[in-house]
Amino acid sequence: MSDALALPVSGAAVLVLLMAPGTAAVRVLRGSWLLALALAPSLGLALAGLASLLAGLLGVRWSLLPWTAAAALLVLGALGLRRLGARMPSTLLGGRLMPPRAVPLAPLWVACAAAIAIIPIMHAAGWRPDAVLERWDTLYHLSALQWVRESGSASPLTLGAISNSSRTASLYPSAFHALASLVPGVPVPVLLNGSVLVLSTVPWIMGIALLARAVLPQTPWAPAAGAVLAALIPGAPVNEWIHLSPIPNLVGFAALPGLLAAGVAMWTALLRTATVRTVLTASLAVGVGGLGLLMTHPNTAVMALLLLTVLTAPDALHRAGRHPMLTLIPVALLVPVAMLQFTPLGGMVTEFSGGLQVAWWTALGEVVLGLHTVWPMALGVVLALAWWPGVVLSWRNGPRWLVAAWALVTLLYLDAAVDSPLDLSVLFYRGQDRLTMPLAMLSCLLAIVGLRWWGRLLRAPSASVRQPAWTRFTALALALIAVLATLGSIPTRAENASRNLALDHPGRGRFLQADELAAWERAAPTMDMSEKVLASPFSGASHMWALHGQSVHFAVAGGSLGHRDELIMQAARDAPTEPTACAFLMRWGIGYVYQDRISYQYDARYAPLDADLTGIGPVVFSTPHSTLYEVRCDPGDGGTDYVP
C-alpha cells in the first residue's frame, strides 16, 4: 500500500477504533445517537488507555486482540448495567442534530471550512504523507509509537522509557499511542500524521457542533455554525499540532467538546427529572470519559473538571436550600484539581519552567483582538467581532456559566502569557498555546450568540417592513469581510505550517535536511539495525528509529542524561586512539556514531561528539554537513575499564 493511500486509511481506522466502542456502549444504555457520538471520543480514549495498562500488567503484547477483548467487555458491561435497570437520561441531544432546512448544504460548508484549515498544511508538507514535523515533541511521539511496536507495551507505566537511554520504565499518559499503534503495517511517520490529522479535527468539529446544540438549543442553525467555526478558528487543535506538536494534549482537547456537550445535556436533564439510576449512569459515563482525557493528557482532564465545576456550581448553590447534597458536586469536581495544584502529585507539571512570555499589554491585546498565540491572523479579529457581543448577551440573557467559563480560561491564558507569579496556569505548563484550544472552543459558542445578535440587528423587524438600505449594506459588508478574512487566512496558514513542515525554512532550525534524509534512506538497508547510532538527538539520527527501524542511543530530544551517557560520548571522542574507549562503546552496543554540523539547535552536552572521529571506523555516508561512521576501531584486549 502506498503512503498516499496509507495516510487516509490509517486515519479512518484510528477514527473507527476511537468511536465504535463508546458509541455502542452508550446506545446499549438507551442513550441517543447524538449523546453517544458526544461521549464516544473520550470513552474510546479511556478504553485504549485502560486496556493498554491492563495488558501491560498481564504481560500481554499490545495489539488488536487485547483491544477487542476490552471493547467487548465494555459493551457487555453496558448490557449488564442495562439488565440492572441503568439507563442514560433523555437529554437535549436527542433526535436530529438540527432541522433539515436550518442551514442549506450544511455538510458542504463544514467540508469547505475543514479544507481551508487542512489543505494549507498538506501543501506546506509538500503533499508528503510521511512528512516529519520539525518540533521536539514530534520526535518523542514518533519514538513512542516505534517503542510500542518493538516492545509490545503501550502501558502508561512504561511508555516514558524512551526518555532515557537505558529505557528504564517511567510514567507517561499513553491513550493516544495505544490507540494509534493498533493500526499495523503502516510506516510510523505516516501513521502518526494520519492519526493526528483525524483525531485533531473530527472529534473537535463534531464535538463543538454537539456542544452548540446542547448549550443553544433554541438556535436551530447553531450546530452547523459551531462546526464551521470549529474548523476555521485559528486556535483549533490541528493548528496547535503544527505550531507545537503536543499531540496527546491536543487529542485530549479535541475530545473535550463532546464530553462537555454530554455533561451540559445530562446536567440540564437531571435538574428537571432525576432518578438514582439515571444519575448513576450519567455520572459513570462522564467519569469514564474524564478518565479517558486523563490517560491522554492530565491537563485536559483538569480543564474538564474546571468547566464542569463552572457549569454545575450556580445551579447547585441556587438549589442548596432544597437539595443541599447538590453542593457536593462542584466541590468533588474541584478536589482533584486542588490536589494536583498544591501537592506533589502534580510535580511533573508544576515544576516545569519555560514557555513564551509576553508583556501584559501584548497578552491583553491577544485576548481582546482574537490574536491568540495559535495562530494570530485577521480572521481571529473578525471572529472576535462576533464573540464579544456574545459575551455581553450571554451574561445578560444566559447561559451565564458560559461567560464564566470563558472568563476563567481567559484568566488562565493571561496568567500563562505573562508568566504570572500567581501560577494559576501551572497545570497547563504555563503555556498559553495549550490554553488557546479550550479558549477557542468557548469562543465558538459565544460567536454563535454574537452572530445571532448581528442577524437580528441587521434584518427587517417583520416581513411587511422593508429592510433599511443601511442594514443591507452593513450586512453585505460584514459578510464580505468575513469571506475575505477566511480566504485571506489561507496564505497565513500555509506560511505558519511551512515554518515547521517544509524541508527548509529561513530562520528555522531543522532536525532533518533533504540530503540527509536521502543519505539515510540509501544507507539504512545496509546497516545492522541491532547496533545503536550515537548522535545528538538534535541531529537527524534519532528520527531513524521511527523512519527506518534503526536502533538509536538517544530516542528523544531534551531527555535526561546520566553519567553513563556522558561516558559513552567521551568514549566516542577517544575511541579512534584509545582501545579501552573503543571497547567501552562496543560493550554498550554503539555500532555507529553520527556527526551533523546543521542541527535543530546546539546543545553543549553533546559537544564530545563533535570531535575529530577519523580512525573510529569507515564512513557509511557523508553529506556536506554530516558524516555517519561505523564503529570498527581497535578494542585492544577487550578491557572496558575506560576512564576519560
Side-chain angles (χ1 to χ4, degrees), residues 341 352 354-360 362-364 366-367 373 407-433 435 439:
Q341 181 96 15
F352 176 83
L356 177 64
Q357 181 180 5
V358 299
W360 68 266
T362 301
L364 195 60
E366 291 176 4
V367 169
T373 301
L408 172 63
V409 180
T410 298
L411 179 63
L412 294 174
Y413 180 97
L414 292 171
D415 178 89
V418 302
D419 276 2
S420 163
L422 296 176
D423 272 349
L424 300 176
S425 59
V426 68
L427 294 179
F428 302 91
Y429 297 100
R430 303 178 182 89
Q432 63 269 39
D433 42 15
L435 288 161
L439 187 57

Side-chain angles (χ1 to χ4, degrees), residues 159-482:
L159 190 63
I162 61 170
S163 63
N164 60 80
S165 63
S166 63
R167 305 295 185 259
T168 302
S170 61
L171 287 171
Y172 193 87
S174 66
F176 163 75
H177 306 90
L179 184 70
S181 62
L182 290 170
V183 180
V186 178
V188 169
V190 178
L191 176 61
L192 183 68
N193 290 340
S195 301
V196 180
L197 188 60
V198 168
L199 297 183
S200 65
T201 53
V202 176
W204 172 260
I205 294 171
M206 179 183 68
I208 290 183
L210 292 166
L211 185 56
R213 165 68 183 273
V215 175
L216 304 168
Q218 303 307 317
T219 305
W221 48 267
V228 170
L229 290 168
L232 292 176
I233 197 163
V238 69
N239 296 334
E240 173 70 2
W241 171 36
I242 306 303
H243 175 74
L244 191 64
S245 193
I247 291 172
N249 214 167
L250 66 89
V251 169
F253 274 128
L256 175 61
L259 181 63
L260 185 60
V264 171
M266 290 192 289
W267 177 252
T268 305
L270 293 175
L271 287 177
R272 291 197 309 266
T273 306
T275 66
V276 172
R277 289 175 177 174
T278 55
V279 169
L280 291 177
T281 307
S283 301
L284 179 63
V286 173
V288 175
L291 184 61
L293 298 187
L294 178 69
M295 300 195 77
T296 306
H297 199 290
N299 70 25
T300 60
V302 169
M303 181 56 68
L305 289 169
L306 290 173
L307 295 179
L308 289 172
T309 300
V310 175
L311 167 69
T312 58
D315 292 315
L317 293 174
H318 179 69
R319 300 170 185 238
R322 289 172 295 164
H323 306 285
M325 295 296 290
L326 278 178
T327 57
L328 295 178
I329 294 175
V331 172
L333 291 169
L334 277 180
V335 166
V337 179
M339 291 178 65
L340 288 171
Q341 181 96 15
F342 302 113
T343 72
L345 286 175
M348 290 181 67
V349 175
T350 55
E351 294 173 3
F352 176 83
S353 61
L356 177 64
Q357 181 180 5
V358 299
W360 68 266
W361 54 86
T362 301
L364 195 60
E366 291 176 4
V367 169
V368 171
L369 298 175
L371 298 172
H372 300 146
T373 301
V374 186
W375 283 328
M377 59 180 74
L379 179 59
V381 179
V382 173
L383 294 178
L385 292 175
W387 77 57
W388 276 112
V391 170
V392 175
L393 292 168
S394 295
W395 183 254
R396 183 186 301 168
N397 304 321
R400 286 190 170 185
W401 74 266
L402 179 60
V403 181
W406 183 86
L408 172 63
V409 180
T410 298
L411 179 63
L412 294 174
Y413 180 97
L414 292 171
D415 178 89
V418 302
D419 276 2
S420 163
L422 296 176
D423 272 349
L424 300 176
S425 59
V426 68
L427 294 179
F428 302 91
Y429 297 100
R430 303 178 182 89
Q432 63 269 39
D433 42 15
R434 299 169 191 260
L435 288 161
T436 298
M437 291 180 282
L439 187 57
M441 173 187 71
L442 298 169
S443 297
C444 285
L445 299 178
L446 292 167
I448 296 171
V449 179
L451 289 172
R452 188 172 61 189
W453 175 80
W454 279 109
R456 290 172 180 171
L457 178 68
L458 297 175
R459 73 167 176 250
S462 67
S464 60
V465 178
R466 189 168 181 228
Q467 187 180 22
W470 74 269
T471 61
R472 293 199 302 272
F473 174 78
T474 304
L476 181 62
L478 290 174
L480 183 61
I481 290 171

Side-chain angles (χ1 to χ4, degrees), residues 132-143 192 245 247:
V132 175
L133 191 62
E134 295 281 346
R135 302 298 286 171
W136 281 35
D137 287 30
T138 302
L139 173 57
Y140 191 100
H141 301 302
L142 285 168
S143 295
L192 183 68
S245 193
I247 291 172

